[in-house]
């Protein structure tokens, strides 16, 4: 039993989020802390055209006082998997969050600290003097210093083949920097890049068919790229904690710029950029 759990845990790598939000489970499942918004999305997704792109959802479980969502462990059975988490969209905050932050423009010292940690020169003189920033300022800054606002996605984390976890992408902004990260993540292996490209194109097709996609503002959701030593490579949609249904009758295009009020998330802007970057990486890998 000890051996089993040690082996089971060794394949678990978490690239984003609070470590306490996940628990390993048995039978190729992982438990993610319950969140009503995400839970509703997962239920709907199980009978949507996107089902093949989402980890299987098996319902709820409780551990002590806490509730968890039972998800397919996408790393199960992989040996030394190499993973990348790409957070999709041209913004990573909800319109709702922006409105709340504006109505309550309290100064946040925790967000100032996070900002200074990434870039000591980011706060203005006034913000430095206050040792605090507003939440709105912080949310918009984060999207602007990464590739979120310009490319429609950003890299949250990458593991390397030797198990090292890289999370220092908060200021990875230009397409040259992102392309570099993609090349190193795939180690320029054409078979892996080809497999990713075909999965991205299948995802694009499924999104066109998806009722869920038409009717949801998808914020802070990621594409999880996973490959291992065999040329197996796959991409999954994860993290629906900030994915909200739009008012009935409103259909999002996902490919038009966001202006406040239109609820657009730019998901397809990111997917298109990502696809063309993987295509270029493949061309480069083939010399
Ligand atoms: P945040 O909102 O800060 O991004 P979160 O708590 O909502 O974090 P997720 O983004 O869903 O968590 O997941 C965090 C990480 O956990 C992912 O980057 C990935 O490495 C891993 N992960 C999540 N779901 C799965 C899964 N079903 N199978 C394998 N790994 C997963
Ligand atoms: Mg996430
Ligand atoms: Mg989340």
């Amino acid at each position: 039993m000890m051996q089993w759990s040690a082996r089971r845990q060794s394949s678990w790598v978490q690239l984003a989020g609070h470590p306490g939000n996940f628990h390993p489970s048995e039978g190729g499942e992982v438990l993610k802390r319950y969140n009503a918004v995400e839970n509703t999305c997962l239920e709907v997704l199980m009978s949507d055209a996107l089902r093949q792109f989402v980890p299987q959802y098996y319902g709820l479980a409780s551990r002590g006082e806490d509730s968890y969502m039972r998800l397919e462990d996408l790393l199960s059975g992989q040996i030394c998997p190499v993973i990348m988490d790409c957070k999709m969209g041209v913004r990573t905050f909800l319109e709702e969050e922006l409105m709340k932050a504006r109505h309550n423009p309290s100064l946040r010292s925790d967000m100032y600290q996070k900002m200074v940690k990434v870039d000591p020169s980011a706060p203005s003189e006034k913000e430095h003097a206050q040792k605090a920033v507003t939440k709105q300022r912080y949310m918009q800054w984060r999207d602007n210093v990464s590739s979120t606002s310009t490319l429609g996605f950003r890299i949250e984390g990458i593991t390397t083949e030797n198990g090292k976890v890289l999370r220092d992408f908060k200021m990875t902004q230009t397409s040259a920097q992102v392309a570099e990260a993609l090349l190193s993540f795939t180690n320029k292996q054409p078979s892996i890049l080809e497999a990713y490209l075909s999965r991205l194109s299948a995802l694009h097709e499924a999104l066109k068919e998806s009722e869920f996609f038409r009717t949801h503002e998808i914020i802070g959701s990621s594409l999880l790229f996973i490959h291992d030593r065999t040329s197996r490579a796959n991409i999954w949609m994860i993290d629906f904690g900030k994915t909200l249904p739009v008012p009935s009758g409103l259909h999002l295009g996902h490919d038009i710029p966001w202006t406040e009020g239109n609820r657009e998330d730019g998901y397809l802007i990111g997917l298109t950029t990502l696809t063309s970057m993987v295509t270029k990486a493949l061309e480069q890998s083939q010399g």
Side-chain angles (χ1 to χ4, degrees), residues 196-260:
Y196 279 143
L197 206 51
S198 98
R199 182 75 167 165
L200 285 172
S201 113
L203 173 61
H204 219 124
E205 290 309 306
L207 289 169
K208 283 186 200 155
E209 302 302 314
S210 168
E211 179 62 17
F212 180 88
F213 192 55
R214 262 192 293 281
T215 56
H216 284 76
E217 174 187 8
I218 303 181
I219 300 297
S221 174
S222 286
L223 288 179
L224 193 65
F225 289 63
I226 306 174
H227 62 270
D228 68 3
R229 290 218 182 115
T230 67
S231 292
R232 236 182 347 178
N234 221 332
I235 302 175
W236 304 91
M237 292 175 81
I238 61 163
D239 198 0
F240 302 100
K242 286 195 197 181
T243 293
L244 295 181
V246 292
S248 82
L250 181 63
H251 282 178
L252 297 184
H254 302 280
D255 57 353
I256 41 183
W258 173 59
T259 50
E260 204 179 332

Side-chain angles (χ1 to χ4, degrees), residues 12-18 21-22 30 32 38 55 71-75 83 85 87 156 220 222 224 226 238-239:
W12 174 255
V13 182
Q14 188 182 326
L15 288 179
H18 192 268
N21 282 354
F22 285 88
V30 65
K32 180 174 180 182
E38 180 156 36
L71 298 175
E72 174 186 358
D73 178 358
L74 301 167
L75 300 178
I83 318 168
D85 180 311
K87 197 166 268 221
E156 289 277 289
S222 286
L224 193 65
I226 306 174
I238 61 163
D239 198 0

Side-chain angles (χ1 to χ4, degrees), residues 153-206:
F153 74 94
R154 70 167 174 248
I155 298 174
E156 289 277 289
I158 289 182
T159 61
T160 62
E161 228 167 307
N162 56 21
K164 227 171 118 188
V165 179
L166 313 172
R167 290 199 185 85
D168 193 13
F169 296 99
K170 293 192 174 60
M171 293 188 51
T172 300
Q173 187 195 45
T174 66
S175 50
Q177 289 171 321
V178 176
E180 173 86 31
L182 280 179
L183 281 173
S184 107
F185 165 65
T186 56
N187 209 359
K188 299 188 190 171
Q189 298 170 84
S191 56
I192 303 279
L193 286 158
E194 258 162 30
Y196 279 143
L197 206 51
S198 98
R199 182 75 167 165
L200 285 172
S201 113
L203 173 61
H204 219 124
E205 290 309 306

Side-chain angles (χ1 to χ4, degrees), residues 87-101:
K87 197 166 268 221
M88 301 301 290
V90 293
R91 64 187 159 102
T92 61
F93 50 85
L94 289 161
E95 288 199 4
E96 199 180 277
E97 286 180 279
L98 188 59
M99 263 159 15
K100 272 192 206 150

